Amino acid sequence: GAGASFRSGVPTAAEAVKQIARLVYSERELRGARPPERVKPSEWEPWLQSQAWFIQGADRLAENFPLAVEHLLAPAEFRKRVILELMRPRNGVSAGYKTLSSFVMRGLVHTILTTNFDPCLPDALKELQPHIRNIHEVNRSPGDFDQFNVFNKCQLVWLHGRAEQYSDKNEAGEVGAVDHKLVSVLRPLLDGSPIIVVGYRGAEPSIMEGLFSQNKEGRLDFSHGVYWCVRHGETPHPHVQALARRIGKNFKLLHIEGFDE
């Protein structure tokens, strides 16, 4: 999830809302008279909060990310340009991604599923080529499942697509559900593997009601375990709490310092 990329310089959802608002205010309200970095909070904040779709509350700013994408980032080319710039790892790929890639090289991890759009994962994996021979990418564009195989040694699944292919799912309506065909492809892998979740809050219905939904009435789901990482002091999202109640002892909450640690 998005929290894993924070130290690489990729903004969190709340920070992304601020940057989108500042950019759009600069380009559309000021007509480019001043660059975004020179737009004051006293200018763009009241403008953002005056939008009919905006969810009020300082602690709910992150919830406005899909709404900001939907209402402010149009047309498609403008959306692509902004998303790609936002997702650029300004600090370079962090240690956590490098370690995760080393796990892949050692055969400890075979498949990584991500809701992110940033290039931290593929960049970190490519640094270990030719030791990692092939990087199989799944769902770069809608229906792009050709490279998926439960036996792949290095497999990256883009759960919400990629911005480069205009397939990224960011808007409120888009993140409400995950492609049912993708779920059916992934289901045998999910059923037969332990799952470690890190850097992901569990707030999106698309993942929680798609990948983590009950597969069959009466079935013992996730018998290999779901290990959900949260930082010290954080409370798991209600969706995560509901998953824990449903699968019982197959759910394990792990308290961590952060993704890199």
Side-chain angles (χ1 to χ4, degrees):
S5 304
F6 177 71
R7 288 190 186 166
S8 297
V10 177
T12 60
E15 180 59 30
V17 171
K18 297 178 183 179
Q19 293 190 30
I20 290 172
R22 192 182 296 117
L23 171 65
V24 174
Y25 188 90
S26 169
E27 293 198 5
R28 296 181 184 169
E29 299 300 313
L30 301 181
R31 302 189 184 280
R34 271 182 286 140
E37 57 269 21
R38 292 183 57 194
V39 177
K40 301 176 182 178
S42 60
E43 295 175 292
W44 65 262
E45 283 182 352
W47 170 79
L48 176 64
Q49 293 167 6
S50 70
Q51 304 300 315
W53 48 264
F54 184 78
I55 301 173
Q56 302 292 335
D59 60 337
R60 302 188 68 185
L61 189 58
E63 296 177 46
N64 284 284
F65 178 69
L67 296 169
V69 172
E70 178 179 355
H71 293 281
L72 299 180
L73 299 188
E77 180 58 35
F78 179 63
R79 168 170 161 169
K80 174 182 176 180
R81 174 165 64 88
V82 173
I83 292 294
L84 289 179
E85 177 59 25
L86 280 175
M87 298 301 128
R88 183 166 55 87
R90 290 166 175 77
N91 301 335
V93 178
S94 72
Y97 282 113
K98 294 178 183 292
T99 302
L100 181 56
S101 298
S102 73
F103 288 166
V104 173
M105 185 177 69
R106 293 163 58 191
L108 301 174
V109 172
H110 292 162
T111 299
I112 306 170
L113 301 93
T114 181
T115 55
N116 295 352
F117 309 106
D118 63 71
C120 292
L121 274 168
D123 286 355
L125 291 168
K126 288 173 183 176
E127 286 182 5
L128 293 180
Q129 288 181 321
H131 302 290
I132 296 177
R133 292 187 179 182
N134 298 304
I135 302 172
H136 301 277
E137 297 190 53
V138 180
N139 202 41
R140 286 175 58 91
S141 57
D144 175 24
F145 311 146
D146 291 346
Q147 293 192 45
F148 178 83
N149 191 303
V150 293
F151 299 110
N152 280 338
K153 299 299 183 183
C154 177
Q155 187 162 244
L156 182 54
V157 181
W158 301 98
L159 294 173
H160 285 170
R162 293 300 307 274
E164 292 90 337
Q165 279 75 29
Y166 300 98
S167 65
D168 57 300
K169 291 185 176 183
N170 277 304
E171 298 179 11
E174 294 172 337
V175 297
V178 69
D179 188 334
H180 70 278
K181 292 182 180 179
L182 177 61
V183 174
S184 66
V185 166
L186 295 176
R187 201 56 168 166
L189 182 67
L190 297 174
D191 286 342
S193 309
I195 302 172
I196 302 169
V197 183
V198 60
Y200 178 67
R201 284 200 312 137
E204 292 164 325
S206 59
I207 305 303
M208 301 309 297
E209 296 175 10
L211 294 188
F212 288 106
S213 64
Q214 189 159 358
N215 189 25
K216 189 177 181 180
E217 193 66 31
R219 177 193 176 93
L220 182 63
D221 275 345
F222 306 108
S223 58
H224 293 272
V226 174
Y227 302 85
W228 201 290
C229 301
V230 295
R231 293 194 302 171
H232 292 290
E234 290 186 349
T235 301
H237 190 276
H239 289 161
V240 181
Q241 296 176 16
L243 173 65
R245 288 192 297 270
R246 179 166 65 80
I247 66 175
K249 292 182 178 180
N250 290 339
F251 184 93
K252 177 71 174 178
L253 197 65
L254 301 176
H255 293 278
I256 62 171
E257 293 296 330
F259 173 65
D260 293 283
E261 287 81 7

